[in-house]
PDB file of all heavy atoms in Angstrom:
ATOM      1  N   VAL V 390     161.782 133.131 185.657  1.00 81.00           N
ATOM      2  CA  VAL V 390     162.133 132.171 186.717  1.00 81.00           C
ATOM      3  C   VAL V 390     163.657 131.859 186.698  1.00 81.00           C
ATOM      4  O   VAL V 390     164.340 131.741 187.737  1.00 81.00           O
ATOM      5  CB  VAL V 390     161.391 130.874 186.493  1.00 81.00           C
ATOM      6  CG1 VAL V 390     161.822 129.749 187.431  1.00 81.00           C
ATOM      7  CG2 VAL V 390     159.908 131.088 186.561  1.00 81.00           C
ATOM      8  N   GLY V 391     164.285 131.987 185.538  1.00 81.00           N
ATOM      9  CA  GLY V 391     165.741 131.845 185.465  1.00 81.00           C
ATOM     10  C   GLY V 391     166.380 132.992 186.188  1.00 81.00           C
ATOM     11  O   GLY V 391     167.414 132.755 186.904  1.00 81.00           O
ATOM     12  N   CYS V 392     165.888 134.198 186.025  1.00 84.00           N
ATOM     13  CA  CYS V 392     166.450 135.332 186.798  1.00 84.00           C
ATOM     14  C   CYS V 392     166.296 135.108 188.318  1.00 84.00           C
ATOM     15  O   CYS V 392     167.211 135.437 189.061  1.00 84.00           O
ATOM     16  CB  CYS V 392     165.770 136.616 186.357  1.00 84.00           C
ATOM     17  SG  CYS V 392     166.214 137.258 184.690  1.00 84.00           S
ATOM     18  N   ALA V 393     165.104 134.579 188.699  1.00 84.00           N
ATOM     19  CA  ALA V 393     164.957 134.346 190.155  1.00 84.00           C
ATOM     20  C   ALA V 393     165.880 133.257 190.633  1.00 84.00           C
ATOM     21  O   ALA V 393     166.451 133.385 191.756  1.00 84.00           O
ATOM     22  CB  ALA V 393     163.484 133.743 190.318  1.00 84.00           C
ATOM     23  N   ALA V 394     166.139 132.162 189.889  1.00 86.00           N
ATOM     24  CA  ALA V 394     167.096 131.172 190.160  1.00 86.00           C
ATOM     25  C   ALA V 394     168.480 131.742 190.368  1.00 86.00           C
ATOM     26  O   ALA V 394     169.206 131.439 191.258  1.00 86.00           O
ATOM     27  CB  ALA V 394     167.058 130.040 189.157  1.00 86.00           C
ATOM     28  N   LEU V 395     168.869 132.704 189.420  1.00 85.00           N
ATOM     29  CA  LEU V 395     170.187 133.349 189.511  1.00 85.00           C
ATOM     30  C   LEU V 395     170.263 134.167 190.735  1.00 85.00           C
ATOM     31  O   LEU V 395     171.367 134.226 191.334  1.00 85.00           O
ATOM     32  CB  LEU V 395     170.371 134.102 188.228  1.00 85.00           C
ATOM     33  CG  LEU V 395     171.720 134.783 188.118  1.00 85.00           C
ATOM     34  CD1 LEU V 395     172.849 133.779 188.062  1.00 85.00           C
ATOM     35  CD2 LEU V 395     171.801 135.648 186.895  1.00 85.00           C
ATOM     36  N   PHE V 396     169.212 134.829 191.106  1.00 87.00           N
ATOM     37  CA  PHE V 396     169.214 135.628 192.324  1.00 87.00           C
ATOM     38  C   PHE V 396     169.435 134.763 193.543  1.00 87.00           C
ATOM     39  O   PHE V 396     170.175 135.095 194.438  1.00 87.00           O
ATOM     40  CB  PHE V 396     167.872 136.394 192.396  1.00 87.00           C
ATOM     41  CG  PHE V 396     167.850 137.354 193.514  1.00 87.00           C
ATOM     42  CD1 PHE V 396     168.255 138.714 193.347  1.00 87.00           C
ATOM     43  CD2 PHE V 396     167.443 136.998 194.834  1.00 87.00           C
ATOM     44  CE1 PHE V 396     168.229 139.611 194.446  1.00 87.00           C
ATOM     45  CE2 PHE V 396     167.495 137.889 195.906  1.00 87.00           C
ATOM     46  CZ  PHE V 396     167.826 139.255 195.660  1.00 87.00           C
ATOM     47  N   LEU V 397     168.689 133.573 193.593  1.00 86.00           N
ATOM     48  CA  LEU V 397     168.907 132.672 194.665  1.00 86.00           C
ATOM     49  C   LEU V 397     170.411 132.235 194.844  1.00 86.00           C
ATOM     50  O   LEU V 397     170.919 132.173 195.958  1.00 86.00           O
ATOM     51  CB  LEU V 397     168.009 131.479 194.544  1.00 86.00           C
ATOM     52  CG  LEU V 397     166.491 131.708 194.674  1.00 86.00           C
ATOM     53  CD1 LEU V 397     165.753 130.493 194.364  1.00 86.00           C
ATOM     54  CD2 LEU V 397     166.080 132.220 196.028  1.00 86.00           C
ATOM     55  N   VAL V 398     170.971 131.856 193.690  1.00 87.00           N
ATOM     56  CA  VAL V 398     172.397 131.380 193.682  1.00 87.00           C
ATOM     57  C   VAL V 398     173.266 132.513 194.068  1.00 87.00           C
ATOM     58  O   VAL V 398     174.280 132.314 194.871  1.00 87.00           O
ATOM     59  CB  VAL V 398     172.780 130.841 192.344  1.00 87.00           C
ATOM     60  CG1 VAL V 398     174.290 130.597 192.232  1.00 87.00           C
ATOM     61  CG2 VAL V 398     171.937 129.567 191.993  1.00 87.00           C
ATOM     62  N   GLY V 399     173.036 133.718 193.544  1.00 86.00           N
ATOM     63  CA  GLY V 399     173.972 134.856 193.864  1.00 86.00           C
ATOM     64  C   GLY V 399     173.951 135.285 195.320  1.00 86.00           C
ATOM     65  O   GLY V 399     174.921 135.806 195.864  1.00 86.00           O
ATOM     66  N   SER V 400     172.838 134.950 196.055  1.00 86.00           N
ATOM     67  CA  SER V 400     172.735 135.310 197.415  1.00 86.00           C
ATOM     68  C   SER V 400     173.227 134.263 198.431  1.00 86.00           C
ATOM     69  O   SER V 400     173.084 134.449 199.589  1.00 86.00           O
ATOM     70  CB  SER V 400     171.229 135.725 197.770  1.00 86.00           C
ATOM     71  OG  SER V 400     170.393 134.601 197.518  1.00 86.00           O
ATOM     72  N   LEU V 401     173.743 133.179 197.841  1.00 85.00           N
ATOM     73  CA  LEU V 401     174.222 132.142 198.764  1.00 85.00           C
ATOM     74  C   LEU V 401     175.445 132.587 199.643  1.00 85.00           C
ATOM     75  O   LEU V 401     176.179 133.465 199.222  1.00 85.00           O
ATOM     76  CB  LEU V 401     174.727 130.852 197.877  1.00 85.00           C
ATOM     77  CG  LEU V 401     173.611 130.133 197.180  1.00 85.00           C
ATOM     78  CD1 LEU V 401     174.253 129.053 196.320  1.00 85.00           C
ATOM     79  CD2 LEU V 401     172.617 129.517 198.126  1.00 85.00           C
TER      80      LEU V 401
END
Side-chain angles (χ1 to χ4, degrees):
V390 175
C392 291
L395 184 59
F396 187 92
L397 293 174
V398 172
S400 60
L401 292 176

